[in-house]
Structures are given as C-alpha cells and as structure tokens.
Amino acid sequence: MKINITKKILLSSLSAALLLTSSMGVLASEENANVTLAQTQMTSTVEEIKSDLPGVYLATGVNGIVNLTDSTSIAQSYGLVSGEKPYAKISDMDGRKSYLAQLCIDNIAQTLNAAVGPAIDVEIGKMTSEGFSLLPEEGAPITLRAGIPKSFAQEGKTFAVVAIRPGGAVSVLNDMDNNPDTITFDTTAGKAVYALIKY
C-alpha cells in the first residue's frame, strides 16, 4: 500500500482525534527545567555532519539529528532580521504524555504493517533578546537528517517518518537517502513530533 493513499485514508479520522486536545508532549525547555546550560548539548552530529542550527539537542532516542539546510538559508527564507537567529529545541517524545500523538503514530504504523521506532519533539523557531518563539509552519522546506539507532536499524526495510503537527495535521515523509543508518526528510519550521517507522 502506498504511503500517500494511507495518509489520505487516515487524515480525517486521526485529525479529528488530534483536534480535541493538543498533547504534543513537553519539550526540552519545560521537561528539562533543571538542566543547566553547561549540561545542554548545543549542537548535534550525524555521521560526522554537525548541525549548524543552534539550539538545545536533548533527544537520545535517535543517533543525533542535524539540519542540512544551513542556518543562513533558514534565516533568509523565514524573513529573520537583525537580532533574530534560527534556533531549535529537540527532545525525545514521551508517548505517555503525548498519548494522542502516540495513538496516531501507532495507527498509521499498523495500517502500513510497520514497526514504530523512536519519536522526537522538534521546535524550530528563532531566538531574540526576548527569548524563543516558533517560526511559522507555512515556510520554506528545511531538510533534517536523523541517525537510526542500531536497535531499530534493519537491512532491507523501508524507513519513513510520521510527522504530527499541533491541531491535527498528519503526514508521512519518505526517507530521501539510501543510507541504512540515517533517515533524511523535508519539513518546515514550527513545532512537530517526528516518529521513525519501518516496513
């Protein structure tokens, strides 16, 4: 079954469930309130590619996550001005707190006869002297790459990412690379949950 067909079938029922409440989970800024700046990872690396997007990288479920769209391009395409810099907050999703997002991920995986892997919360926004705020979802593509953990990697399988936005937007993003150790996908700024699946 093709992913696009599955997505169309599931969108109406899953979106309705997600619209009832926003349970996307608690991201790094809230969940890790006791983590000091010195303990916070400010960049991430995937197979020797270092993310140049500043931020808080606390996700341990994947083997790193990096942006392949450089920060300068993000700043230009999202209209950032002097004193505004692109910034990311990335942490592991807690399926117990984000139960509707987890239910959505599980339903899509079941329809595709796919196994569910790690899920991460991602916020891509901007940092100013007044603090962090999200950039709009309706913006230029941003390419992300995540390292697939050894416990989830499997030769011969097709990998994809289930993306869930606040308000119920659901999409399945195909892996854009041929590396069995990584998954590369296009998204946009804003807040989303991304879950790895394989089938």
Side-chain angles (χ1 to χ4, degrees), residues 7-17:
K7 180 172 66 171
K8 289 177 184 175
I9 293 170
L10 293 172
L11 273 177
S12 58
S13 60
L14 294 174
S15 294

Side-chain angles (χ1 to χ4, degrees), residues 7-175:
K7 180 172 66 171
K8 289 177 184 175
I9 293 170
L10 293 172
L11 273 177
S12 58
S13 60
L14 294 174
S15 294
L18 287 172
L19 282 169
L20 295 175
T21 181
S22 175
S23 66
M24 297 294 289
V26 182
L27 290 174
S29 59
E30 300 160 5
E31 189 174 276
N32 298 285
N34 295 327
V35 175
T36 66
L37 190 58
Q39 296 169 314
T40 302
Q41 184 177 357
M42 298 309 286
T43 60
S44 184
T45 302
V46 175
E47 296 202 328
E48 299 182 10
I49 297 174
K50 186 175 181 181
S51 184
D52 79 333
L53 181 59
V56 179
Y57 292 82
L58 299 176
T60 58
V62 292
N63 287 342
I65 183 165
V66 297
N67 69 307
L68 300 181
T69 306
D70 65 86
S71 294
T72 302
S73 296
I74 295 172
Q76 291 173 347
S77 61
Y78 281 85
L80 272 60
V81 297
S82 179
E84 299 179 336
K85 296 188 177 182
Y87 195 87
K89 294 182 180 183
I90 302 173
S91 62
D92 295 315
M93 185 193 90
D94 184 341
R96 294 166 299 174
K97 292 179 181 176
S98 304
Y99 60 92
L100 288 179
Q102 187 66 58
L103 177 63
C104 183
I105 293 162
D106 293 342
N107 284 340
I108 290 176
Q110 183 177 8
T111 303
L112 293 171
N113 197 25
V116 178
I120 55 175
D121 283 316
V122 176
E123 290 184 344
I124 298 176
K126 64 182 179 182
M127 187 65 76
T128 68
S129 59
E130 296 179 1
F132 176 80
S133 61
L134 290 171
L135 289 172
E137 294 175 28
E138 304 80 16
I142 296 172
T143 304
L144 299 179
R145 175 174 291 164
I148 300 171
K150 291 186 186 293
S151 60
F152 193 65
Q154 188 174 353
E155 198 168 328
K157 291 290 188 180
T158 298
F159 286 83
V161 171
V162 177
I164 305 170
R165 297 277 185 172
V170 179
S171 55
V172 179
L173 310 173
N174 294 320
D175 187 4

